[in-house]
C-alpha cells in the first residue's frame, strides 16, 4: 500500500507570495491533518479535514487555509507569505474516527523557504 | 502554552543499554498518547501508543509507561541499537473528536557504538 505523498518536496518563495501544497493520503484514509514543524515551535497542528469538511483547526492566522477533495486528497494554501512561514509542512492521514483515535501516518513533508 | 513537554532536547546512550525518553503533559483531557520517531528529511513514523486506561504497553524493544497522577509518560528502548538514533516525539490527543495531535518538542537520541 502506497504511503502518504506530498508535493512538492521543496519550495522557495518570496515574502508576499502565496503557495499551495498538496497531500495524497493512503488509499482508504478519509482524514487528512496538516502540521507545521519549525525549530523553535516544534510540530504544531494546523487543521484537519474529513469528508471534505474542516473538522478541527489549530491556532494559526487566516492566511493558512486548506481544503479536501472528494477523493480525500488535500491542499493547503498560505497567502501573503512571511519569513516566519519557513518550515517543514507535514501531512498525515488516518482512517477516520469521530469517537476513536486512529493512528496517523505522515508524509515526508514539504520544505518551504520564504526569502 | 506548551501542553506536552519533552524537557531533554538530547540524550546519548551506549549501544545495548536502555534508553529512557520522558514526556510530561498538562492537559488532563488527554487520554491517548503516542510516540513517533523521525529521521532527517522524513515524516514522523509511529512507534507505539497507550490509552489512559492502561499504565504500560509493550511492543518488542519498545515499552511506554503512563503515570496519570503525575501526568508523565516515558518510552523505554531496550536494548538500544544504532538504528534507533533519531528524534523522538511524544504526542497526545483527546480520543473523542477530531484527529488533532499535540506534540512535544522532541528529544534527539544518539546511540553510541
Amino acid at each position: 500500500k502506497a504511503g502518504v505523498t506530498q508535493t512538492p518536496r521543496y519550495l522557495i518563495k518570496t515574502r508576499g507570495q502565496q503557495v499551495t501544497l498538496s497531500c495524497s493520503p493512503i488509499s482508504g484514509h478519509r482524514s487528512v491533518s496538516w502540521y507545521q514543524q519549525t525549530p523553535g515551535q516544534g510540530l504544531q497542528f494546523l487543521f484537519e479535514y474529513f469528508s471534505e469538511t474542516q473538522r478541527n483547526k489549530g491556532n494559526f492566522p487566516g492566511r493558512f487555509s486548506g481544503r479536501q477533495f472528494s477523493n480525500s486528497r488535500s491542499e493547503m494554501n498560505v497567502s501573503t507569505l512571511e519569513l516566519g512561514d519557513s518550515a517543514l509542512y507535514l501531512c498525515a492521514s488516518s482512517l477516520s474516527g469521530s469517537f476513536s483515535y486512529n493512528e496517523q501516518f505522515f508524509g515526508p513533508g514539504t520544505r518551504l523557504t520564504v526569502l | 502554552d506548551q501542553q506536552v513537554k519533552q524537557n531533554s532536547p538530547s540524550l546519548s546512550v551506549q549501544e545495548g543499554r536502555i534508553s529512557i525518553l520522558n514526556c510530561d503533559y498538562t492537559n488532563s483531557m488527554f487520554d491517548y498518547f503516542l510516540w513517533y520517531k523521525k529521521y532527517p528529511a522524513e515524516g514522523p513514523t509511529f512507534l507505539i501508543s497507550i490509552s489512559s486506561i492502561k499504565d504500560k504497553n509493550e511492543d518488542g524493544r519498545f515499552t511506554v509507561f503512563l503515570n496519570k497522577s503525575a501526568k508523565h509518560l516515558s518510552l523505554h528502548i531496550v536494548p538500544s541499537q544504532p538504528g534507533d538514533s533519531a528524534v523522538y516525539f511524544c504526542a497526545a490527543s483527546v480520543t473523542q473528536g477530531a484527529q488533532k495531535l499535540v506534540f512535544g518538542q522532541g528529544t534527539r537520541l544518539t546511540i553510541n557504538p
Side-chain angles (χ1 to χ4, degrees), chain A residues 4-7 21-25 32-34 69 72-76 90-93 107:
Chain A
V4 178
T5 58
Q6 292 187 245
T7 56
L21 313 181
S22 180
C23 171
S24 293
V32 174
S33 298
W34 288 88
F69 302 95
S72 293
R73 190 177 71 84
S74 177
E75 289 181 347
M76 69 162 280
L90 291 158
C91 163
S93 77

Side-chain angles (χ1 to χ4, degrees), chain B residues 3-69:
Chain B
Q3 296 185 68
V4 178
K5 295 180 184 178
Q6 293 175 257
N7 291 318
S8 298
S10 63
L11 177 67
S12 188
V13 174
Q14 200 77 17
E15 182 180 357
R17 300 287 185 105
I18 183 171
S19 295
I20 300 176
L21 296 99
N22 293 302
C23 178
D24 297 297
Y25 62 97
T26 57
N27 189 342
S28 57
M29 295 297 291
F30 290 144
D31 61 2
Y32 197 82
F33 304 89
L34 309 91
W35 284 93
Y36 280 83
K37 174 180 178 179
K38 188 178 185 300
Y39 292 118
E42 294 182 14
T45 302
F46 171 76
L47 265 180
I48 191 168
S49 63
I50 187 167
S51 163
S52 60
I53 62 173
K54 295 185 174 182
D55 54 19
K56 177 183 173 181
N57 189 26
E58 246 178 301
D59 184 2
R61 297 186 298 114
F62 302 92
T63 303
V64 57
F65 294 92
L66 175 62
N67 182 334
K68 289 188 292 292
S69 60

